[in-house]
Short mmCIF file of all heavy atoms in Angstrom, two decimals:
data_model
loop_
_atom_site.label_atom_id
_atom_site.label_comp_id
_atom_site.label_asym_id
_atom_site.label_seq_id
_atom_site.Cartn_x
_atom_site.Cartn_y
_atom_site.Cartn_z
N HIS A 49 9.83 -16.80 -9.85
CA HIS A 49 10.96 -16.83 -8.94
C HIS A 49 10.52 -16.41 -7.54
O HIS A 49 9.64 -15.59 -7.39
CB HIS A 49 12.07 -15.88 -9.44
CG HIS A 49 12.55 -16.26 -10.81
ND1 HIS A 49 13.43 -17.29 -11.03
CD2 HIS A 49 12.24 -15.75 -12.03
CE1 HIS A 49 13.66 -17.38 -12.33
NE2 HIS A 49 12.96 -16.47 -12.95
N SER A 50 11.16 -16.99 -6.54
CA SER A 50 10.76 -16.77 -5.16
C SER A 50 11.81 -15.98 -4.40
O SER A 50 12.97 -15.93 -4.77
CB SER A 50 10.52 -18.11 -4.45
OG SER A 50 9.60 -18.89 -5.16
N SER A 51 11.36 -15.38 -3.32
CA SER A 51 12.26 -14.72 -2.38
C SER A 51 11.66 -14.83 -1.00
O SER A 51 10.47 -15.04 -0.85
CB SER A 51 12.46 -13.24 -2.75
OG SER A 51 11.25 -12.54 -2.63
N THR A 52 12.49 -14.68 0.02
CA THR A 52 12.02 -14.79 1.39
C THR A 52 11.95 -13.41 2.03
O THR A 52 12.97 -12.73 2.14
CB THR A 52 12.98 -15.68 2.22
OG1 THR A 52 13.06 -16.95 1.58
CG2 THR A 52 12.46 -15.85 3.63
N PRO A 53 10.76 -12.95 2.43
CA PRO A 53 10.64 -11.63 3.04
C PRO A 53 11.25 -11.60 4.43
O PRO A 53 11.27 -12.61 5.12
CB PRO A 53 9.12 -11.42 3.11
CG PRO A 53 8.56 -12.80 3.14
CD PRO A 53 9.49 -13.65 2.33
N ALA A 54 11.71 -10.41 4.83
CA ALA A 54 12.34 -10.29 6.14
C ALA A 54 11.35 -10.49 7.27
O ALA A 54 11.73 -10.80 8.39
CB ALA A 54 12.98 -8.90 6.27
N SER A 55 10.06 -10.32 7.00
CA SER A 55 9.06 -10.38 8.07
C SER A 55 8.67 -11.80 8.42
O SER A 55 8.00 -12.03 9.41
CB SER A 55 7.82 -9.60 7.64
OG SER A 55 7.29 -10.14 6.46
N ALA A 56 9.03 -12.79 7.61
CA ALA A 56 8.59 -14.16 7.87
C ALA A 56 9.74 -15.10 7.59
O ALA A 56 10.04 -15.41 6.45
CB ALA A 56 7.40 -14.50 7.00
N GLU A 57 10.38 -15.55 8.64
CA GLU A 57 11.54 -16.44 8.48
C GLU A 57 11.11 -17.76 7.86
O GLU A 57 10.23 -18.45 8.37
CB GLU A 57 12.17 -16.68 9.85
CG GLU A 57 13.62 -17.12 9.78
CD GLU A 57 14.52 -16.07 9.18
OE1 GLU A 57 14.31 -14.88 9.46
OE2 GLU A 57 15.42 -16.45 8.41
N GLY A 58 11.71 -18.10 6.73
CA GLY A 58 11.40 -19.37 6.09
C GLY A 58 10.19 -19.36 5.19
O GLY A 58 9.87 -20.35 4.57
N PHE A 59 9.50 -18.23 5.09
CA PHE A 59 8.32 -18.16 4.22
C PHE A 59 8.75 -17.69 2.84
O PHE A 59 9.43 -16.68 2.71
CB PHE A 59 7.29 -17.20 4.80
CG PHE A 59 5.98 -17.21 4.07
CD1 PHE A 59 4.97 -18.07 4.44
CD2 PHE A 59 5.77 -16.36 3.00
CE1 PHE A 59 3.77 -18.08 3.76
CE2 PHE A 59 4.57 -16.37 2.31
CZ PHE A 59 3.57 -17.24 2.70
N THR A 60 8.35 -18.41 1.81
CA THR A 60 8.79 -18.10 0.46
C THR A 60 7.64 -17.56 -0.38
O THR A 60 6.58 -18.15 -0.43
CB THR A 60 9.36 -19.35 -0.24
OG1 THR A 60 10.45 -19.84 0.55
CG2 THR A 60 9.87 -19.01 -1.62
N ASP A 61 7.89 -16.43 -1.02
CA ASP A 61 6.90 -15.79 -1.90
C ASP A 61 7.37 -15.87 -3.35
O ASP A 61 8.56 -15.83 -3.63
CB ASP A 61 6.74 -14.31 -1.54
CG ASP A 61 5.69 -14.09 -0.47
OD1 ASP A 61 5.05 -15.08 -0.08
OD2 ASP A 61 5.52 -12.95 -0.03
N ILE A 62 6.40 -15.93 -4.25
CA ILE A 62 6.69 -15.78 -5.68
C ILE A 62 6.56 -14.31 -6.00
O ILE A 62 5.51 -13.70 -5.80
CB ILE A 62 5.70 -16.60 -6.54
CG1 ILE A 62 5.84 -18.09 -6.19
CG2 ILE A 62 5.96 -16.38 -8.02
CD1 ILE A 62 4.78 -18.97 -6.82
N THR A 63 7.64 -13.69 -6.48
CA THR A 63 7.66 -12.24 -6.68
C THR A 63 7.96 -11.82 -8.11
O THR A 63 7.81 -10.65 -8.44
CB THR A 63 8.72 -11.60 -5.77
OG1 THR A 63 10.00 -12.15 -6.08
CG2 THR A 63 8.40 -11.84 -4.29
N GLU A 64 8.40 -12.75 -8.98
CA GLU A 64 8.77 -12.38 -10.33
C GLU A 64 7.92 -13.15 -11.34
O GLU A 64 7.75 -14.37 -11.23
CB GLU A 64 10.25 -12.65 -10.57
CG GLU A 64 11.16 -11.84 -9.67
CD GLU A 64 12.63 -12.09 -9.97
OE1 GLU A 64 12.91 -12.70 -11.01
OE2 GLU A 64 13.47 -11.67 -9.16
N PHE A 65 7.40 -12.41 -12.31
CA PHE A 65 6.52 -13.00 -13.33
C PHE A 65 6.92 -12.45 -14.70
O PHE A 65 7.32 -11.29 -14.81
CB PHE A 65 5.06 -12.65 -13.05
CG PHE A 65 4.70 -12.75 -11.59
CD1 PHE A 65 4.74 -11.63 -10.78
CD2 PHE A 65 4.31 -13.95 -11.04
CE1 PHE A 65 4.41 -11.71 -9.43
CE2 PHE A 65 3.99 -14.05 -9.70
CZ PHE A 65 4.03 -12.93 -8.89
N PRO A 66 6.80 -13.25 -15.75
CA PRO A 66 7.10 -12.76 -17.10
C PRO A 66 6.19 -11.59 -17.46
O PRO A 66 5.01 -11.57 -17.09
CB PRO A 66 6.81 -13.98 -17.99
CG PRO A 66 6.95 -15.16 -17.08
CD PRO A 66 6.47 -14.69 -15.75
N SER A 67 6.73 -10.62 -18.14
CA SER A 67 5.97 -9.44 -18.51
C SER A 67 4.76 -9.81 -19.36
O SER A 67 4.86 -10.59 -20.31
CB SER A 67 6.86 -8.46 -19.29
OG SER A 67 6.13 -7.33 -19.68
N GLY A 68 3.62 -9.29 -18.99
CA GLY A 68 2.39 -9.53 -19.75
C GLY A 68 1.65 -10.80 -19.37
O GLY A 68 0.56 -11.05 -19.88
N GLN A 69 2.22 -11.61 -18.50
CA GLN A 69 1.56 -12.88 -18.13
C GLN A 69 0.58 -12.66 -16.99
O GLN A 69 0.86 -11.94 -16.04
CB GLN A 69 2.60 -13.91 -17.69
CG GLN A 69 1.99 -15.20 -17.16
CD GLN A 69 3.03 -16.20 -16.72
OE1 GLN A 69 4.01 -16.41 -17.41
NE2 GLN A 69 2.82 -16.81 -15.56
N GLU A 70 -0.60 -13.28 -17.08
CA GLU A 70 -1.58 -13.27 -16.01
C GLU A 70 -1.55 -14.60 -15.28
O GLU A 70 -1.73 -15.65 -15.90
CB GLU A 70 -2.99 -13.01 -16.57
CG GLU A 70 -3.19 -11.63 -17.15
CD GLU A 70 -4.64 -11.38 -17.56
OE1 GLU A 70 -5.50 -12.25 -17.29
OE2 GLU A 70 -4.91 -10.32 -18.16
N VAL A 71 -1.31 -14.58 -14.00
CA VAL A 71 -1.29 -15.80 -13.21
C VAL A 71 -2.72 -16.25 -12.95
O VAL A 71 -3.53 -15.46 -12.47
CB VAL A 71 -0.56 -15.58 -11.87
CG1 VAL A 71 -0.61 -16.84 -11.01
CG2 VAL A 71 0.88 -15.17 -12.12
N PRO A 72 -3.08 -17.49 -13.25
CA PRO A 72 -4.46 -17.96 -13.04
C PRO A 72 -4.84 -17.93 -11.57
O PRO A 72 -4.05 -18.28 -10.69
CB PRO A 72 -4.42 -19.40 -13.57
CG PRO A 72 -3.23 -19.46 -14.45
CD PRO A 72 -2.23 -18.52 -13.87
N TYR A 73 -6.06 -17.50 -11.32
CA TYR A 73 -6.57 -17.46 -9.95
C TYR A 73 -6.99 -18.86 -9.51
O TYR A 73 -7.71 -19.56 -10.23
CB TYR A 73 -7.78 -16.51 -9.89
CG TYR A 73 -8.54 -16.56 -8.58
CD1 TYR A 73 -8.03 -15.98 -7.44
CD2 TYR A 73 -9.78 -17.20 -8.52
CE1 TYR A 73 -8.71 -16.02 -6.25
CE2 TYR A 73 -10.48 -17.25 -7.33
CZ TYR A 73 -9.95 -16.66 -6.20
OH TYR A 73 -10.64 -16.72 -5.02
N VAL A 74 -6.54 -19.28 -8.30
CA VAL A 74 -6.88 -20.61 -7.82
C VAL A 74 -7.53 -20.60 -6.44
O VAL A 74 -7.94 -21.64 -5.94
CB VAL A 74 -5.62 -21.52 -7.76
CG1 VAL A 74 -5.11 -21.80 -9.15
CG2 VAL A 74 -4.53 -20.89 -6.90
N GLY A 75 -7.63 -19.42 -5.80
CA GLY A 75 -8.27 -19.35 -4.49
C GLY A 75 -7.32 -18.88 -3.41
O GLY A 75 -6.16 -18.56 -3.66
N GLY A 76 -7.86 -18.87 -2.16
CA GLY A 76 -7.08 -18.37 -1.04
C GLY A 76 -6.76 -19.43 -0.01
O GLY A 76 -6.67 -20.62 -0.34
N GLN A 77 -6.63 -19.00 1.25
CA GLN A 77 -6.23 -19.88 2.34
C GLN A 77 -7.42 -20.25 3.23
O GLN A 77 -8.39 -19.51 3.32
CB GLN A 77 -5.14 -19.22 3.18
CG GLN A 77 -3.89 -18.86 2.39
CD GLN A 77 -3.20 -20.07 1.79
OE1 GLN A 77 -3.15 -21.14 2.41
NE2 GLN A 77 -2.65 -19.91 0.58
N LYS A 78 -7.30 -21.38 3.93
CA LYS A 78 -8.42 -21.89 4.72
C LYS A 78 -8.59 -21.17 6.05
O LYS A 78 -9.69 -21.14 6.61
CB LYS A 78 -8.24 -23.39 4.98
CG LYS A 78 -6.98 -23.73 5.77
CD LYS A 78 -6.86 -25.22 5.99
CE LYS A 78 -5.60 -25.57 6.80
NZ LYS A 78 -5.49 -27.03 7.03
N ASP A 79 -7.51 -20.57 6.60
CA ASP A 79 -7.63 -19.89 7.89
C ASP A 79 -6.58 -18.79 8.00
O ASP A 79 -5.74 -18.61 7.11
CB ASP A 79 -7.49 -20.88 9.05
CG ASP A 79 -6.23 -21.73 8.96
OD1 ASP A 79 -5.18 -21.20 8.53
OD2 ASP A 79 -6.30 -22.93 9.30
N VAL A 80 -6.65 -18.04 9.11
CA VAL A 80 -5.75 -16.90 9.30
C VAL A 80 -4.29 -17.34 9.39
O VAL A 80 -3.40 -16.67 8.84
CB VAL A 80 -6.16 -16.13 10.58
CG1 VAL A 80 -5.14 -15.03 10.89
CG2 VAL A 80 -7.55 -15.51 10.41
N ASP A 81 -4.03 -18.43 10.07
CA ASP A 81 -2.65 -18.91 10.19
C ASP A 81 -2.04 -19.22 8.81
O ASP A 81 -0.87 -18.92 8.56
CB ASP A 81 -2.59 -20.17 11.06
CG ASP A 81 -2.85 -19.86 12.53
OD1 ASP A 81 -2.62 -18.70 12.93
OD2 ASP A 81 -3.30 -20.77 13.26
N SER A 82 -2.83 -19.82 7.95
CA SER A 82 -2.35 -20.15 6.60
C SER A 82 -2.17 -18.90 5.75
O SER A 82 -1.30 -18.84 4.88
CB SER A 82 -3.32 -21.11 5.91
OG SER A 82 -3.50 -22.29 6.66
N ALA A 83 -3.02 -17.89 6.00
CA ALA A 83 -2.96 -16.64 5.22
C ALA A 83 -1.79 -15.76 5.62
O ALA A 83 -1.36 -14.90 4.85
CB ALA A 83 -4.27 -15.88 5.36
N ALA A 84 -1.28 -15.92 6.84
CA ALA A 84 -0.16 -15.11 7.32
C ALA A 84 1.14 -15.54 6.63
O ALA A 84 1.20 -16.63 6.06
CB ALA A 84 -0.05 -15.28 8.84
N PRO A 85 2.18 -14.68 6.65
CA PRO A 85 2.22 -13.38 7.30
C PRO A 85 1.54 -12.30 6.46
O PRO A 85 1.42 -12.42 5.24
CB PRO A 85 3.71 -13.10 7.43
CG PRO A 85 4.30 -13.79 6.23
CD PRO A 85 3.48 -15.02 6.04
N PHE A 86 1.12 -11.23 7.12
CA PHE A 86 0.42 -10.15 6.43
C PHE A 86 1.37 -9.02 6.04
O PHE A 86 1.02 -8.17 5.23
CB PHE A 86 -0.72 -9.64 7.31
CG PHE A 86 -1.72 -10.72 7.63
CD1 PHE A 86 -1.73 -11.34 8.87
CD2 PHE A 86 -2.63 -11.14 6.67
CE1 PHE A 86 -2.64 -12.35 9.15
CE2 PHE A 86 -3.53 -12.16 6.94
CZ PHE A 86 -3.54 -12.77 8.18
N ILE A 87 2.56 -9.00 6.64
CA ILE A 87 3.60 -8.04 6.25
C ILE A 87 4.63 -8.80 5.42
O ILE A 87 5.25 -9.75 5.90
CB ILE A 87 4.28 -7.43 7.48
CG1 ILE A 87 3.25 -6.75 8.37
CG2 ILE A 87 5.36 -6.42 7.05
CD1 ILE A 87 3.83 -6.27 9.70
N ARG A 88 4.83 -8.38 4.17
CA ARG A 88 5.78 -9.04 3.27
C ARG A 88 6.69 -7.96 2.68
O ARG A 88 6.50 -7.50 1.55
CB ARG A 88 5.03 -9.82 2.20
CG ARG A 88 3.98 -10.76 2.85
CD ARG A 88 3.40 -11.76 1.92
NE ARG A 88 2.41 -12.60 2.62
CZ ARG A 88 2.10 -13.84 2.26
NH1 ARG A 88 2.68 -14.39 1.21
NH2 ARG A 88 1.20 -14.52 2.93
N ASP A 89 7.65 -7.58 3.50
CA ASP A 89 8.50 -6.42 3.21
C ASP A 89 9.75 -6.85 2.43
O ASP A 89 10.86 -6.86 2.94
CB ASP A 89 8.89 -5.76 4.54
CG ASP A 89 9.64 -4.45 4.35
OD1 ASP A 89 9.61 -3.91 3.22
OD2 ASP A 89 10.24 -3.99 5.33
N HIS A 90 9.56 -7.19 1.15
CA HIS A 90 10.68 -7.63 0.32
C HIS A 90 11.71 -6.51 0.10
O HIS A 90 12.89 -6.78 -0.07
CB HIS A 90 10.16 -8.11 -1.04
CG HIS A 90 9.20 -9.26 -0.94
ND1 HIS A 90 9.58 -10.54 -0.64
CD2 HIS A 90 7.84 -9.30 -1.08
CE1 HIS A 90 8.51 -11.34 -0.60
NE2 HIS A 90 7.45 -10.60 -0.87
N ALA A 91 11.26 -5.26 0.08
CA ALA A 91 12.17 -4.13 -0.13
C ALA A 91 12.83 -3.68 1.17
O ALA A 91 13.74 -2.85 1.15
CB ALA A 91 11.41 -2.95 -0.76
N LYS A 92 12.36 -4.22 2.30
CA LYS A 92 12.92 -3.93 3.62
C LYS A 92 12.96 -2.43 3.90
O LYS A 92 14.02 -1.86 4.20
CB LYS A 92 14.33 -4.54 3.74
CG LYS A 92 14.34 -6.06 3.59
CD LYS A 92 15.73 -6.64 3.76
CE LYS A 92 15.70 -8.16 3.61
NZ LYS A 92 17.04 -8.77 3.76
N ILE A 93 11.81 -1.79 3.84
CA ILE A 93 11.74 -0.35 4.08
C ILE A 93 11.20 -0.02 5.47
O ILE A 93 11.35 1.11 5.94
CB ILE A 93 10.88 0.35 3.01
CG1 ILE A 93 9.44 -0.18 3.03
CG2 ILE A 93 11.51 0.22 1.63
CD1 ILE A 93 8.50 0.54 2.07
N PHE A 94 10.58 -0.99 6.14
CA PHE A 94 9.98 -0.73 7.45
C PHE A 94 10.96 -1.06 8.57
O PHE A 94 11.87 -1.88 8.40
CB PHE A 94 8.70 -1.54 7.63
CG PHE A 94 7.63 -1.25 6.62
CD1 PHE A 94 7.10 -2.27 5.84
CD2 PHE A 94 7.16 0.04 6.44
CE1 PHE A 94 6.11 -2.01 4.91
CE2 PHE A 94 6.19 0.32 5.50
CZ PHE A 94 5.65 -0.71 4.73
N SER A 95 10.73 -0.43 9.71
CA SER A 95 11.53 -0.74 10.90
C SER A 95 11.13 -2.12 11.42
O SER A 95 9.98 -2.33 11.79
CB SER A 95 11.31 0.31 11.99
OG SER A 95 11.66 1.60 11.53
N GLN A 96 12.07 -3.03 11.47
CA GLN A 96 11.75 -4.40 11.85
C GLN A 96 11.26 -4.52 13.29
O GLN A 96 10.57 -5.47 13.63
CB GLN A 96 12.96 -5.30 11.63
CG GLN A 96 13.35 -5.44 10.17
CD GLN A 96 14.38 -6.53 9.94
OE1 GLN A 96 14.53 -7.44 10.73
NE2 GLN A 96 15.09 -6.43 8.82
#
Side-chain angles (χ1 to χ4, degrees):
H49 301 281
S50 305
S51 65
T52 303
S55 59
E57 202 64 39
F59 188 90
T60 302
D61 272 356
I62 299 171
T63 59
E64 298 182 12
F65 318 95
S67 179
Q69 174 180 316
E70 293 185 5
V71 177
Y73 170 75
V74 293
Q77 301 298 323
K78 62 180 181 179
D79 53 37
V80 173
D81 289 336
S82 302
F86 300 103
I87 303 173
R88 308 191 180 206
D89 187 15
H90 301 286
K92 299 182 180 180
I93 61 175
F94 300 124
S95 300
Q96 295 191 22

